[in-house]
RNA sequence: GGAGCUGUAGUUCAGUUUGGUUAGAACGCCUGCCUGUCACGCAGGAGGUCGCGAGUUCGAGUCUCGUCAGCUCCGCCA
């Protein structure tokens, strides 16, 4: 029999005193004293203490229960003799009159501090923890506020297909075989990009969607093979419209879900400045330690390595961490980071008792004076310097800068939210491996028309695109652009990235055709909700804000997917599996 | 594709440096005792392919090689 509950465990308090209540939940803890037992009963609202008299035949059955059993309890709320100030419901307890054991639990395969592997295998039990309950509810609040906000602003949510078509460029697609057309495949969407542009052509005007996106690439702590984006698109809109729409949205949502106030508009930085000063296209602006170019001031005489570098046009760049002296081991770790980014090495200089200390000062005729002065090195500081091609030096120092951030805890997690627009991304970059140009953002981005005229043939990497990223605390949380709504211009872009006219015809004729029917100028953006929620909650991993996440191997430990399928299914799809390699 | 860390009882871990008796602890589980706990307490008990496979050795949880899995990072992720 089901006890129809009158209250949730966490809502019981002194106001219920003397009342007969019914609560349902899971046993969290049993403390058995022989003549009676305390049972901590948990539901999604919290814990309340039940008191079972064990001298009563029916109630003594609680002794057969273990943690995890699902039970219903009818009892009287009474004020406690010994209150527990650590428990929200610690003023009261429930004297049990009758109860029902709904289902029996196996002993829990998880403990209070389970490993990631155990958590993922028994995710449904992990979800019963306070943290996961809080995170799922918080996520719901964020999405609800987004829907409310955009609905009020005249946006409508439109669903787009999951069984979709392979897009050019970008990530590896997840493919779904077609049974009715053997040898043909759907692709799961990497984003609803083309559909939302078609919705603009279709007169929807203001669209959004909480949409699932799929990318078959290697995973990270903040990257899952399927993830959730807030996809937004506006007709007759440009950068400024998207910026102000997004700023208003984030300000409203952040206030409603966290109570925090963020600025009404976010600072902006060009891609070029981000790269040269922060060594990253997603700069963490919560702290300083910017990268300086000291090529001009640097006197390399005597140090062959540096002389040669400057001879071939390399840059000398550096940054200073004030009043810190990293250890030998830490410097080694930073050197490895710099090398990973392509730098030949990492020089360092310390200022102690007015003298420069550095492993390279003995080579330099000026002992490193020109470099440290240019960087403004002061007593007790340490400077890190890289001599490499401009972008390599910046990226290497960008990695060093983040290492120092984490080493010395230079930012307080969660407390501050630093939003930043990064603009003026390049339209194209040259892919050495493939021997062709690719788009930095995606091919549907509007290139700067003047740059296009000027550089398309001679220097395509100089062409700027009308795209932008939104960065929060050093993490990319949204990406968008003004779209290319002019068919001939769109064709030019496709040509530049090496799509032949046959390929174009085969894969995109529908889209190019659609562009011919009075496409409104339009622009959009797509914030990644998993990351945004992760940052607001201060979680280390995106997995902690997703109910059923996958491992770094893109597997689900709970369902054991992916898995083999029956031969019958493969035959139906006319698929033969090649197990070689 | 590459690098690092980890894998021992149901769970979380110690033991691996320096190979050697019967692989330990805590929590959980089982049995019993206990009138006020909230990390209840007390007594007793069960529970192990040391991830898997080779190899070295008289002898491997411990050393070597391979492999699988989890995590973190690089490449990759328009």
């Amino acid at each position: 029999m089901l006890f129809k509950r009158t209250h949730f465990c966490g809502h019981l308090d002194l106001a219920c005193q003397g009342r007969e209540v019914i609560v349902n939940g899971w046993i969290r803890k049993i403390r058995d004293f022989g003549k009676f037992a305390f049972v901590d009963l948990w539901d999604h609202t919290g814990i309340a203490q039940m008191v079972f008299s064990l001298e009563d035949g029916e109630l003594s059955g609680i002794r057969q229960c273990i943690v995890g059993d699902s039970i219903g309890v009818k009892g009287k709320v009474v004020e406690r003799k010994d209150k527990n100030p650590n428990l929200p419901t610690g003023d009261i307890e429930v004297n049990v009159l009758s109860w029902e054991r709904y289902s029996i639990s196996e002993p829990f395969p998880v403990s209070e501090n389970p490993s990631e592997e155990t958590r993922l295998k028994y995710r449904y039990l992990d979800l019963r923890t306070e943290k996961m309950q809080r995170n799922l509810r918080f996520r719901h609040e964020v999405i609800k506020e987004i829907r409310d906000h955009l609905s009020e602003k005249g946006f409508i949510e439109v669903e787009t297909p999951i069984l979709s078509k392979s897009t050019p460029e970008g990530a590896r697609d997840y493919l779904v075989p077609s049974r009715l057309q053997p040898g043909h495949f759907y692709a799961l969407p990497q984003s609803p990009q083309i559909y939302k542009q078609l919705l603009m052509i279709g007169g929807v005007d203001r669209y959004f969607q909480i949409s699932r996106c799929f990318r078959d690439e290697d995973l990270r702590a903040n990257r899952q093979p399927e993830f959730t984006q807030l996809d937004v698109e506006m007709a007759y809109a440009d950068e400024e419209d998207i910026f102000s729409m997004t700023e208003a949205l984030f300000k409203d949502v952040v206030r409603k879900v966290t109570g925090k106030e963020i600025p009404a508009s976010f600072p902006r930085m060009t891609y070029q400045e981000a790269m040269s000063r922060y060594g990253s296209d997603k700069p963490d602006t919560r702290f300083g330690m910017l990268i300086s170019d000291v090529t001009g001031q640097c006197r390399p005489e005597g140090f062959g390595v540096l002389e040669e570098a400057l001879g071939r046009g390399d840059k000398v760049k550096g940054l200073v961490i004030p009043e810190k002296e990293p250890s030998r081991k830490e410097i080694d770790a930073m050197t490895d980071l710099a090398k990973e980014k392509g730098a030949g090495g990492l020089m360092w200089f310390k200022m102690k008792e007015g003298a420069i200390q550095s492993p390279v000062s003995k080579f330099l005729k000026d002992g490193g004076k020109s470099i440290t002065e240019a960087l403004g090195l002061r007593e007790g500081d340490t400077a890190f310097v890289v001599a490499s091609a401009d972008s390599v030096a910046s990226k290497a120092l960008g990695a060093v800068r983040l290492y120092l951030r984490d080493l010395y805890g230079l930012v307080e997690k969660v407390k501050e939210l630093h939003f930043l627009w990064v603009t003026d991304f390049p339209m194209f970059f040259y892919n050495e491996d493939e021997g062709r140009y690719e788009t930095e953002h995606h091919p549907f981005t509007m290139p700067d028309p003047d740059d296009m005229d000027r550089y398309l043939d001679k220097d395509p990497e100089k062409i700027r695109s009308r795209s932008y990223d939104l960065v929060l605390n050093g993490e990319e949380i949204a990406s968008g652009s003004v779209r290319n709504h002019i068919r001939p211009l769109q064709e030019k872009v496709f040509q530049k990235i090496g799509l032949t006219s046959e390929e174009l015809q085969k894969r995109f004729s529908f889209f190019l055709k659609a562009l011919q029917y009075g496409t409104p100028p339009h622009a959009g953006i797509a914030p990644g909700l998993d990351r945004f929620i992760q940052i607001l909650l201060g979680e280390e991993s995106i997995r902690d804000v997703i109910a059923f996440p996958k491992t770094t191997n893109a597997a689900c430990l709970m369902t054991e997917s992916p898995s083999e399928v029956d031969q019958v299914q493969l035959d139906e799809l006319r698929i033969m599996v090649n197990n070689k390699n």
Side-chain angles (χ1 to χ4, degrees):
Chain A
M1 173 189 115
L2 178 65
F3 282 57
K4 295 284 182 183
R5 69 181 154 201
T6 60
H7 291 76
F8 293 116
C9 296
H11 295 169
L12 294 174
D13 56 21
L14 280 172
C16 311
Q17 199 185 338
R19 303 233 326 244
E20 214 171 272
V21 298
I22 292 174
V23 285
N24 289 321
W26 285 283
I27 295 174
R28 228 345 127 69
K29 198 96 195 176
I30 302 176
R31 293 178 292 277
D32 183 345
F33 285 80
K35 297 272 191 308
F36 66 94
F38 298 115
V39 173
D40 288 343
L41 195 68
W42 179 87
D43 66 20
H44 62 286
T45 62
I47 288 174
Q49 175 164 285
M50 309 290 126
V51 188
F52 282 72
S53 165
L54 299 179
E55 288 171 321
D56 180 306
E58 194 206 334
L59 298 186
S60 69
I62 193 69
R63 285 196 136 145
Q64 271 72 62
C65 292
I66 65 166
V67 170
D69 282 358
S70 176
I71 66 173
V73 164
K74 185 182 189 180
K76 197 173 186 183
V77 178
V78 297
E79 184 169 8
R80 285 207 207 177
K81 281 179 235 160
D82 301 310
K83 295 183 179 173
N84 182 354
N86 301 318
L87 196 65
T89 61
D91 288 345
I92 55 94
E93 61 191 5
V94 176
N95 281 328
V96 179
L97 300 167
S98 59
W99 71 295
E100 179 88 19
R101 190 186 193 184
Y102 297 134
S103 61
I104 299 168
S105 178
E106 289 291 311
F108 264 28
V110 299
S111 61
E112 277 177 26
N113 180 30
S115 65
E116 192 73 18
E117 211 168 339
T118 306
R119 291 180 60 199
L120 292 175
K121 188 168 177 190
Y122 296 96
R123 190 56 157 186
Y124 42 88
L125 298 181
D126 189 51
L127 294 179
R128 286 190 203 165
T129 59
E130 317 300 333
K131 176 169 108 164
M132 289 307 296
Q133 288 282 319
R134 179 199 66 190
N135 290 3
L136 290 182
R137 276 158 211 287
F138 185 85
R139 184 180 177 118
H140 161 75
E141 287 300 319
V142 170
I143 290 175
K144 176 186 173 292
E145 296 303 341
I146 287 172
R147 284 204 162 103
D148 288 352
H149 179 99
L150 290 176
S151 302
E152 271 173 37
K153 294 277 172 72
F155 289 80
I156 64 167
E157 183 162 16
V158 181
E159 289 168 277
T160 54
I162 296 293
L163 293 177
S164 176
K165 189 167 172 132
S166 180
T167 44
E169 301 250 293
R172 200 174 288 116
D173 286 316
Y174 276 99
L175 297 177
V176 180
S178 161
R179 175 180 56 87
L180 297 173
Q181 298 182 51
H184 289 223
F185 296 82
Y186 302 96
L188 303 183
Q190 294 181 28
S191 83
Q193 184 60 35
I194 291 180
Y195 293 111
K196 68 174 169 178
Q197 292 192 237
L198 294 170
L199 288 172
M200 294 302 103
I201 298 172
V204 167
D205 200 79
R206 291 185 161 205
Y207 145 91
F208 81 100
Q209 181 179 195
I210 308 294
S211 81
R212 197 63 66 84
C213 306
F214 306 85
R215 293 177 191 176
D216 187 4
E217 297 292 346
D218 288 355
L219 276 47
R220 287 286 190 285
N222 64 0
R223 217 195 285 163
Q224 284 272 307
E226 53 180 310
F227 58 98
T228 305
Q229 278 189 346
L230 165 62
D231 202 42
V232 189
E233 198 77 8
M234 296 165 76
Y236 303 106
D238 62 13
E239 296 84 342
E240 295 303 327
D241 297 305
I242 297 294
F243 288 171
S244 54
M245 178 276 297
T246 307
E247 285 160 354
L249 171 70
F250 275 98
K251 183 167 176 60
D252 189 28
V253 170
V254 167
R255 186 199 305 116
K256 282 182 172 144
V257 300
T258 70
K260 288 177 188 167
E261 291 296 335
I262 59 171
S265 66
F266 307 151
R268 302 179 191 182
M269 187 184 294
T270 63
Y271 170 84
Q272 208 186 354
E273 185 182 358
M275 290 309 295
S276 70
R277 298 290 272 157
Y278 294 87
S280 168
D281 61 358
K282 43 180 183 176
D284 190 340
T285 48
R286 286 174 297 176
F287 68 110
M289 290 170 53
L290 302 198
I291 298 164
S292 301
D293 185 340
V294 296
T295 314
Q297 297 96 306
C298 162
R299 303 295 307 271
E301 288 82 3
F303 191 15
V305 178
L306 207 49
E307 286 176 315
E308 282 166 32
L310 287 173
R312 64 174 170 261
D314 281 357
K315 299 286 181 189
V316 179
K317 298 184 126 184
L319 60 78
V320 173
I321 176 146
E323 296 167 15
K324 297 282 189 224
E325 289 183 33
S327 70
R328 179 75 222 188
K329 199 177 154 191
E330 288 154 0
I331 290 173
D332 284 347
M334 284 184 271
T335 305
D336 289 344
L337 283 175
K339 285 180 177 170
E340 262 178 7
K341 297 291 181 187
L346 182 67
M347 291 175 268
W348 59 267
F349 301 86
K350 289 178 184 174
M351 185 70 81
K352 285 188 101 172
E353 288 159 16
I356 298 167
Q357 289 187 1
S358 169
V360 299
S361 57
K362 61 177 176 286
F363 301 121
L364 287 158
K365 256 188 187 156
D366 73 351
K369 193 157 177 268
S370 59
I371 292 174
T372 54
E373 269 182 10
L375 287 170
L377 192 72
R378 291 193 211 165
E379 182 66 27
D381 298 351
T382 306
F384 293 93
V385 175
V386 172
S388 275
D390 196 349
S391 69
V392 169
S394 294
K395 284 178 191 167
L397 288 165
V400 167
R401 181 173 175 269
L402 295 184
Y403 179 91
L404 292 166
R405 171 193 70 182
D406 297 335
L407 178 63
Y408 295 111
L410 299 179
V411 295
E412 290 283 334
K413 273 181 196 156
V414 186
K415 286 185 183 165
E416 284 183 274
L417 296 174
H418 280 229
F419 288 86
L420 173 76
W421 291 111
V422 178
T423 64
D424 297 282
F425 280 80
M427 184 73 197
F428 301 102
F429 70 95
Y430 190 70
N431 184 323
E432 304 272 352
D433 298 334
E434 307 227 346
R436 65 180 181 93
Y437 285 98
E438 290 184 9
T439 48
E440 176 81 31
H441 186 59
H442 60 56
F444 310 105
T445 300
M446 181 70 94
D448 183 294
D450 295 338
D451 288 357
M452 209 52 184
D453 290 343
R454 210 174 310 160
Y455 299 120
L456 184 62
D457 298 322
K458 331 176 254 213
D459 207 351
E461 294 187 60
K462 279 199 177 147
I463 300 173
R464 285 166 300 171
S465 71
R466 294 177 66 182
S467 68
Y468 34 82
D469 278 1
L470 182 60
V471 175
L472 171 57
N473 294 358
E475 299 274 0
E476 179 195 320
I477 62 154
S479 190
S481 61
V482 174
R483 319 302 182 187
N484 190 335
H485 67 282
I486 300 162
R487 174 175 168 148
L489 194 55
Q490 182 67 73
E491 278 179 293
K492 262 190 196 171
V493 171
F494 280 138
Q495 275 162 19
K496 193 72 209 172
I497 61 174
L499 275 181
T500 63
S501 46
E502 296 91 74
E503 281 174 309
L504 210 56
Q505 202 60 32
K506 214 163 134 190
R507 297 169 68 183
F508 291 108
S509 57
F510 74 97
F511 182 69
L512 291 172
K513 188 185 269 183
L515 287 178
Q516 296 180 124
Y517 297 96
T519 306
H522 59 290
I525 191 165
L529 293 185
D530 309 287
R531 267 185 211 175
F532 175 57
I533 293 162
Q534 177 197 350
I535 293 169
L536 290 185
L537 286 168
E539 292 291 359
E540 295 289 329
S541 168
I542 201 175
R543 290 185 300 273
D544 285 345
V545 302
I546 296 172
F548 299 105
K550 299 213 168 23
T551 67
T552 45
N553 214 7
C556 173
L557 297 182
M558 185 182 65
T559 61
E560 295 183 317
S561 75
S563 55
E564 292 181 337
V565 296
D566 291 340
Q567 188 60 44
V568 179
Q569 288 180 286
L570 292 176
D571 290 345
E572 221 168 24
L573 297 165
R574 313 241 197 122
I575 287 179
M576 270 170 65
V577 177
N578 177 0
N579 274 321
K580 282 179 228 157
N581 303 329

